[in-house]
Amino acid sequence: MSSMIFSKAYELIQKGTKFSLVTLIKKEGSASRENGRMLVWEDKQCSGTIGGGALEAFAVEQAVLLQKSKEKTYLGSFSIEQVANRQAGSVQLYIEQIQPGEDDQLFLLATDLEHFHSPFAYVTTLTGDIKKRFLATPEGFVYGNPSPLLAQKTIEALSRNKGICIEEDKYTYFVDIPQTCASLLLIGGGHVNQAIANLADMLGFEIQVLETRDEFAQRSLFPKARRLVLAPTIKEGLDKVTVTPYTYIVIAAHAFGFEEASYLFSTDAPYLGILASHNKERALKEQLKLTPSDERRLFSPIGLDIGSQSPEEIAVSVLAEIMKVKNKTTGNSLKYQNRNLVIVRGAGDLATGVIIRLSNAGYQVIALETDKPTVIRCTVSLAQAMFDKTTTVEDTTAERCDNLANVYAILKEGKIPILCDPKGESIAKLKPLCVVDAILAKRNLGTNITDAPLVIGLGPGFTAGSDCHIVIETKRGHTLGRIIKEGCAIPDSGIPGIIGGYGAERVLRSPGEGIFYSDKKLGDIVKAGDCIATVDDQPVLATIDGMLRGLLNNGLLVTKGFKVADIDPRGKEAQFTTASDKAKAIAGGVLEALDHFRNSL
């Protein structure tokens, strides 16, 4: 089955057949797909998919009605219902009727881009007086003359590989990023690669086969291959195949060695799977001296562990692994999806250290925050996403999520969803494996031991065995990060930790009640006596020399004595863009407790 929708569209245009292009624009809740597109033409014939079932039947009917009407487009929603007629989700669909002679050149160009596996954006008007269509690649627009704003937003969407809606003047545009048609390069034409080719065709991969033996380079063995190369050596054959960032390579050939492997690692292929003996695999790795980046692209032994024996079973295993890499997912059973889900209450600087550590360890993490968090270490707090929509700390990106139905879509993008949920009401709906209370309010603000199979509280205010299962020590010193299975953490002394000989002097507090404002930024060097902010008309003065490491967001209402800033006396030597040693120590304790618990299940 081919996933090359625009190629099929151009084929219909060449035949003089009018058709409808159906695009899934937006998904909320439990829809089966986040994006998709299909063509509908005479007698309800279809190509492509937007998810099947009732949704696809609805889309086909709407496309047929549109073709019979005088209208050119349809924009509407479809509700997905589960048991007891309860709505589980919805999708927004856009259907446009296309006649041969309309934008034929666009579809021809899109066909070429699909065949060469090049990323591109198809831009169309959702609302507006005049129907417009555009086509863009990362280098710029190749069809149509967009406005500067539309051009900029489209290229940004391409770089993120995510479709968006753009409003400009009286028009609303949808920028669609079609799934790039992935290709599969099979080196070797034996039984395993034959089975892989048969299954890969059903998954929409374009297939290339490279062989050095005539009896295995037969069209009868690979009827769906787009390119079948017979060459005297693998090295010579590699000059006749195409390798792009969307080419997944499976090597099952005895004549494959160091020289050929070196060449393939010089390409941008995201997956290089080698079916070889342990001895050959080990010898290749020793010769190649791979970088960490190359190690992540090498898969040998190849495939997921599903007990494969026959060529067909190995094909399932290998292609499942390729799909896992292609779609950037865990490859775990969906039955146990929530066994990997952790909810962290709070996303301040210490909570961020925990979130980063858990995310890097492979857990799916969702953070809960207030609408306007009063964090001051903003450059190392993922809570800043509540103000800026997105923020990044140490390569971990968080995105504000205003709809519970969208959290899994954000997780799939490799980001941390942050929900405005200070009371933790979403915990019961999400059913995580673990809840970590990292609010650090020195008291429990509503976390219960029944919230999840494992509940961890950070610092004072929690009692292990009572309102949580585990407490993690947060006081600096010999016991920082220690796992407490019974009892409480060391009580809060109210005295900030000593840095450079300074404790309480480092912390700046509000002189009164009012609105906080500062024209300073984190990382600025200040001297004692400098005015670093105001609360209404009252100045907030630096008490020591050093670097401004913490600063409240502007516009927040504060009370007298509220912590609004933090100065690091180490000055230019201070670190203010990475998680602190304290945050990392606490995060280590959380990860140890969580891993131990999950491994015991």
Side-chain angles (χ1 to χ4, degrees), residues 317-374:
S317 167
V318 170
L319 283 165
E321 183 174 69
I322 289 174
M323 294 293 290
K324 168 183 175 290
V325 174
K326 176 176 174 285
N327 296 327
K328 298 180 174 64
T329 60
T330 64
N332 295 333
S333 171
L334 293 176
K335 179 179 179 180
Y336 301 112
Q337 185 180 48
N338 284 10
R339 277 189 66 175
N340 216 36
L341 183 64
V342 180
I343 290 180
V344 178
R345 298 191 66 189
D349 60 311
L350 297 183
T352 293
V354 172
I355 292 168
I356 291 172
R357 179 66 65 88
L358 296 184
S359 178
N360 289 343
Y363 288 95
Q364 291 189 307
V365 186
I366 299 169
L368 310 182
E369 258 296 354
T370 62
D371 186 45
K372 294 182 178 179
T374 54

Side-chain angles (χ1 to χ4, degrees), residues 80-313:
I80 298 160
E81 295 183 346
Q82 290 183 337
V83 294
N85 294 322
R86 189 180 72 180
Q87 182 174 322
S90 65
V91 298
Q92 191 173 26
L93 296 175
Y94 183 63
I95 306 175
E96 47 190 322
Q97 190 175 166
I98 297 172
Q99 299 271 4
E102 288 182 3
D103 300 312
D104 291 4
Q105 184 66 18
L106 180 150
F107 288 95
L108 173 59
L109 290 169
T111 296
D112 289 340
L113 290 167
E114 280 185 329
H115 276 294
F116 286 102
H117 315 299
S118 300
F120 66 94
Y122 170 68
V123 186
T124 185
T125 47
L126 296 182
T127 60
D129 297 334
I130 303 173
K131 180 66 185 175
K132 303 177 184 179
R133 296 187 181 99
F134 308 89
L135 198 67
T137 69
E139 289 73 39
F141 277 71
V142 295
Y143 186 89
N145 297 303
S147 68
L149 176 65
L150 179 59
Q152 175 194 338
K153 295 291 186 182
T154 298
I155 299 303
E156 288 175 358
L158 260 171
S159 68
R160 295 193 301 268
N161 195 32
K162 184 178 181 181
I164 58 169
C165 287
I166 300 170
E167 293 186 3
E168 183 182 27
D169 298 329
K170 297 179 181 179
Y171 289 90
T172 301
Y173 300 94
F174 179 64
V175 179
D176 186 24
I177 313 295
Q179 290 287 342
T180 302
C181 181
S183 70
L184 193 65
L185 171 57
L186 302 176
I187 299 177
H191 297 303
V192 170
N193 273 354
Q194 290 171 34
I196 290 174
N198 289 334
L199 181 54
D201 175 66
M202 297 175 65
L203 296 174
F205 286 88
E206 284 210 334
I207 300 160
Q208 302 177 86
V209 181
L210 169 56
E211 245 299 348
T212 58
R213 300 166 295 177
D214 181 69
E215 65 270 27
F216 288 101
Q218 299 296 317
R219 178 59 63 181
S220 59
L221 299 179
F222 297 95
K224 299 297 179 70
R226 182 168 68 88
R227 182 177 293 161
L228 190 56
V229 175
L230 175 63
T233 66
I234 291 175
K235 182 183 177 184
E236 292 173 83
L238 288 172
D239 292 332
K240 300 177 182 179
V241 298
T242 302
V243 179
T244 75
Y246 307 98
T247 303
Y248 297 81
I249 302 172
V250 177
I251 301 138
H254 295 293
F256 183 82
F258 168 73
E259 197 171 358
E260 294 81 6
S262 296
Y263 169 79
L264 290 176
F265 276 109
S266 72
T267 70
D268 294 326
Y271 178 98
L272 290 94
I274 302 177
L275 188 65
S277 68
H278 290 301
N279 289 337
K280 186 168 184 176
E281 173 200 333
R282 185 169 59 251
L284 263 179
K285 287 182 178 179
E286 289 173 356
Q287 285 180 292
L288 288 168
K289 296 181 171 57
L290 300 176
T291 65
S293 173
D294 288 339
E295 283 277 7
R296 287 192 289 272
R297 295 193 292 154
L298 174 63
F299 292 82
S300 185
I302 191 171
L304 299 184
D305 181 12
I306 57 172
S308 304
Q309 299 268 339
S310 69
E312 292 76 17
E313 290 171 342

